[in-house]
Amino acid sequence: MDDIVKRRSLDAESQRALELDTLSAILPMDRRDRLAQLLTDDDVATLKHLAKEGMGENSLRALTSDLAYLEAWALAATGEPLAWPTTEALALKFVAHHLWDPEKRAGDPRHGMPANVAAELHAEGLLRSEGPHAPNTVKRRLASWGTLHRWKGIESPLTAPSLRSAVRLAVRASPRPRRRKSKRAVTRDVLDRLTATCTTDRLADTRDLAILLLAFASGGRRRSEVARLRVDQLSDKPGVPLDPLDPNSPTLPCISIQLGRTKTGDADDEGRVFLVGPPVEALREWLDRADIRKGAIFRAIDRWEALEERALTPQSINLIVKRRCTMAELDPKEFAAHGLRAGYLTEAARQGIGLPEAMQQSQHRSVQQAASYYNEAERAQGRAARLGI
């Protein structure tokens, strides 16, 4: 009997060790076996949950992807696994392999990533483009590399002045322009065309109308934030007057949304935005029709119009926007869910709303970042571009 108990205990420890492998970027893996002895299954499950919730699914997914790419690149470029800590020379090699000049490469095949390294990465499906990487991709992977060093409790050379200078100069020389997540902003006129496709009594139309209006009016919420909204984040507020200057003005329904953890804010931050008027009505109609009283707000609907328990994914939110674009006879390639974020700020500027006020709703922390969402197509319509007329 003691042998059976012992074997079961060892099997449980082995299973926990495997579970801990999925947290290798966070936990000190030189102590993995010891941790597997000390921690319970519930402890490991909690750690995995906190890791997922602490970063956000998209960030954790990107970090995992970046680590896999770095490991594969290091093996292809040096013949050795990725070293921890890395060296400044290896980081500089990474920059040289990914930010290079195609014109220079045409005359010098040694410039940029060596052909054999590229071939290995292509064969593994980790490298898809033939040219240099986008500067933002390189910056993100370097940042992930640095984050992994910190989580492993080791000093990172990725903050060295020489590396920062090399990245800055390489980005400045890069011929690749910054690509927007959505080529066009979903401004009010575009939003009206999308919501006009949600007029039937189908449950999916009621849901999608609520998604579009909430995502836009709440400051252009990110698709990940919309996907994980829960009922307990909503609070009813007293109605607000349609015209604040008129004491006899009719009132509009109002709710607040406690955002919790966002891409730039923690759960402890005072991240709260308000919805007023039609977006509130659309959201309430969806919750009533779907009989949602707790849990995820926006959920999947099957082909028979039956509501599922699982919440929509961020990718599902993006696909809904694209599907509505197709129905509205707009090119879905021109729009993405992120266009709602750019569209909110662009529309705020059109309506004469000051950027600081708009940022309170969009929850941007950087004026520079918020202003960057003014798409070039919209800037061309502004007064600043017409001073020479």
Coordinates of all heavy atoms in Angstrom, one line a residue, residues 60 100 156 263-264 283 301 335 338 346:
L60 N 0.5 37.5 -23.1 CA 1.1 36.3 -22.8 C 1.3 35.4 -24.0 O 2.4 34.8 -24.2 CB 0.2 35.5 -21.8 CG 0.9 34.4 -21.0 CD1 2.0 34.8 -20.2 CD2 -0.2 33.7 -20.1
W100 N 17.4 45.3 -41.8 CA 18.5 45.5 -42.8 C 17.9 46.2 -44.1 O 16.7 46.3 -44.2 CB 19.1 44.2 -43.2 CG 18.2 43.0 -43.4 CD1 17.8 42.1 -42.5 CD2 17.6 42.6 -44.6 NE1 16.9 41.2 -43.0 CE2 16.8 41.5 -44.4 CE3 17.6 43.1 -46.0 CZ2 16.1 40.8 -45.3 CZ3 16.9 42.4 -46.9 CH2 16.1 41.3 -46.6
S156 N 20.0 41.7 -17.5 CA 19.8 41.7 -19.0 C 20.7 42.7 -19.6 O 20.8 43.8 -19.1 CB 18.4 42.0 -19.4 OG 18.3 42.3 -20.8
K263 N -4.5 47.0 -21.1 CA -3.2 46.9 -21.6 C -2.2 47.8 -20.9 O -1.1 47.5 -20.7 CB -3.2 47.2 -23.1 CG -1.9 47.1 -23.8 CD -2.0 47.4 -25.3 CE -0.7 47.4 -26.0 NZ -0.8 47.7 -27.4
T264 N -2.7 49.0 -20.5 CA -1.8 50.0 -19.9 C -2.2 50.3 -18.4 O -1.6 51.2 -17.8 CB -1.9 51.4 -20.6 OG1 -3.3 51.8 -20.7 CG2 -1.4 51.2 -22.0
L283 N -27.1 47.7 -25.0 CA -26.5 46.8 -24.1 C -27.5 46.1 -23.2 O -27.5 44.9 -23.0 CB -25.4 47.5 -23.3 CG -24.7 46.6 -22.2 CD1 -24.0 45.4 -22.9 CD2 -23.7 47.4 -21.4
I301 N -22.8 32.5 -30.2 CA -24.2 32.1 -30.5 C -24.0 31.0 -31.6 O -23.4 31.3 -32.6 CB -25.0 33.2 -31.0 CG1 -25.2 34.3 -29.9 CG2 -26.4 32.7 -31.4 CD1 -25.8 35.6 -30.4
F335 N -10.7 47.5 -42.7 CA -11.1 47.8 -41.3 C -10.8 46.6 -40.4 O -10.8 45.5 -40.8 CB -12.6 48.1 -41.3 CG -13.0 49.3 -42.0 CD1 -13.5 49.2 -43.3 CD2 -13.0 50.5 -41.4 CE1 -13.9 50.3 -44.0 CE2 -13.4 51.7 -42.0 CZ -13.9 51.6 -43.4
H338 N -9.7 47.4 -34.2 CA -8.9 48.5 -33.7 C -9.3 49.8 -34.3 O -9.0 50.9 -33.8 CB -7.4 48.2 -33.9 CG -6.5 49.0 -32.9 ND1 -6.0 50.2 -33.2 CD2 -6.1 48.7 -31.7 CE1 -5.3 50.7 -32.2 NE2 -5.4 49.7 -31.2
T346 N -10.6 60.1 -33.6 CA -10.8 60.9 -34.8 C -12.1 61.6 -34.8 O -12.2 62.8 -35.1 CB -10.7 60.0 -36.0 OG1 -9.5 59.3 -36.0 CG2 -10.7 60.9 -37.3

